Amino acid sequence: IVVFHRHECFEKLLKALWIKHGLEIQKTHDIRLLHKNIVACESWLGEVADGILDIHNMFGDSRYPSGDQITSDEAGQCLVITEVLFDRFTGSNQRT
């Protein structure tokens, strides 16, 4: 469930960046596509490209109860990646 909610967080943050740059939001849950089409406007997103791919790959398996199980290490990795994106998005350097 952690990966599912972190994926949702990524999706919403990326869509917020689309709005910031006046782009029409695509109806998709594919964070790779959302990332690919906004990275030219927000170059720092290149730093989290690998993390986005990791979370996207975990998402399909975690979205439905019948999917593969995500390990606690993968869930922890997902948490770290999302915190990096969130901190960059909000301009925060530390978690409070």
Side-chain angles (χ1 to χ4, degrees), residues 35-82:
H35 175 265
K36 177 183 173 187
N37 291 328
I38 194 64
V39 75
C41 299
E42 296 280 344
S43 61
W44 64 267
L45 284 170
E47 298 171 21
V48 296
D50 289 342
I52 287 174
L53 179 60
D54 290 344
I55 289 177
H56 174 80
N57 289 337
M58 286 184 240
F59 176 68
D61 293 337
S62 68
R63 183 166 186 173
Y64 302 103
S66 62
D68 293 339
Q69 296 297 311
I70 302 299
T71 67
S72 61
D73 286 344
E74 290 171 323
Q77 176 188 5
C78 182
L79 176 63
V80 169
I81 294 164
T82 307

